[in-house]
Amino acid sequence: NAGVTQTPKFRILKIGQSMTLQCTQDMNHNYMYWYRQDPGMGLKLIYYSVGAGITDKGEVPNGYNVSRSTTEDFPLRLELAAPSQTSVYFCASSYALIRVNQPQHFGDGTRLSIL
Amino acid sequence: GQQLNQSPQSMFIQEGEDVSMNCTSSSIFNTWLWYKQDPGEGPVLLIALYKAGELTSNGRLTAQFGITRKDSFLNISASIPSDVGIYFCAGQLETSYDKVIFGPGTSLSVIP
């Protein structure tokens, strides 16, 4: 009964390094999302996917890449880390239309600092 | 681009008071969602709205889907200390319902 699992929970990167934030869900949801949340701000949609093999840009996709080779996994890649990417990253999954009894499930977040 | 505006940005209220916050946009939404986020955690869905004019309650919370489909409000009655947190509105756009876009949030503090 894991839901949405994100790894790692914390990470510090140097400018220019690359890394992949992992996200996996075990609810057989077709829809998955990546958000970033800056301090005191709302969530900004980075990328989303409506099914395996399909991805699309959200509001703030620059500097990120995603892939969706399986229904379960939706990794987010930072190729050249920049200080502006310091944030908390949330992965989420859902059915097509979000309902109270079928909510958008969120992971616990990955806290990323770029120094 | 698509943006959601929330007001107020923050609120400080006495325990027992009622709270009202709203969310507006220049775009039309098919779905309005209200979430609560506690520190260090992901957002949790409180109420989901699907039709213009719809009024839905969840315990002490009541939310409405505006008839223009460009706004929504959330009311909390008889606030209690555990209501403290950040409340986000979110929505699925008419033109791109696959996306779920969030507002900037309303921070609620309840003074016992």
Side-chain angles (χ1 to χ4, degrees):
Chain A
N1 208 20
V4 178
T5 302
Q6 289 184 239
T7 56
K9 295 190 184 304
F10 304 93
R11 184 73 183 268
I12 298 174
L13 285 181
K14 293 182 179 178
I15 295 172
Q17 284 186 321
S18 62
M19 79 163 292
T20 299
L21 282 66
Q22 301 291 346
C23 176
T24 187
Q25 53 91 10
D26 61 359
M27 296 169 284
N28 203 32
H29 286 165
N30 281 325
Y31 285 52
M32 295 188 75
Y33 313 81
W34 273 107
Y35 296 90
R36 60 176 287 174
Q37 185 176 31
D38 299 328
M41 303 290 286
L43 284 76
K44 293 290 187 183
L45 182 63
I46 305 172
Y47 271 94
Y48 66 102
S49 169
V50 301
I54 306 170
T55 63
D56 210 342
K57 295 178 180 179
E59 303 168 86
V60 289
N62 291 343
Y64 306 94
N65 280 302
V66 293
S67 60
R68 186 90 183 275
S69 56
T70 66
T71 299
E72 294 78 20
D73 300 306
F74 190 40
L76 177 72
R77 179 124 182 114
L78 284 71
E79 291 292 351
L80 286 172
S84 61
Q85 293 177 306
T86 294
S87 191
V88 180
Y89 291 84
F90 286 101
C91 178
S93 73
S94 71
Y95 288 103
L97 184 63
I98 295 172
R99 298 187 179 277
V100 171
N101 63 342
Q102 294 176 351
Q104 191 181 26
H105 292 262
F106 282 83
D108 291 335
T110 294
R111 285 149 183 79
L112 182 63
S113 295
I114 315 294
L115 304 176
Chain B
Q2 306 101 11
Q3 276 195 330
L4 289 177
N5 303 303
Q6 280 188 252
S7 63
Q9 187 175 8
S10 61
M11 305 177 73
F12 291 82
I13 61 169
Q14 291 287 139
E15 183 177 357
E17 288 185 348
D18 297 342
V19 173
S20 184
M21 58 188 79
N22 64 43
C23 187
T24 60
S25 176
S26 57
S27 301
I28 293 175
F29 284 78
N30 275 347
T31 306
W32 284 100
L33 309 164
W34 285 93
Y35 290 83
K36 179 174 184 270
Q37 185 179 30
D38 292 325
E41 299 183 9
V44 174
L45 184 65
L46 300 172
I47 292 179
L49 303 159
Y50 307 105
K51 289 190 290 191
E54 180 181 353
L55 185 71
T56 297
S57 293
N58 178 6
R60 295 178 294 106
L61 279 62
T62 302
Q64 186 159 27
F65 193 136
I67 58 172
T68 66
R69 298 170 64 193
K70 295 182 178 181
D71 61 349
S72 177
F73 73 75
L74 175 71
N75 286 341
I76 305 173
S77 62
S79 59
I80 59 178
S82 62
D83 290 334
V84 167
I86 302 177
Y87 291 80
F88 292 102
C89 67
Q92 292 175 291
L93 286 160
E94 176 188 52
T95 54
S96 182
Y97 63 86
D98 298 329
K99 297 181 182 179
V100 178
I101 296 174
F102 281 72
T106 292
S107 175
L108 178 64
S109 299
V110 179
I111 304 167

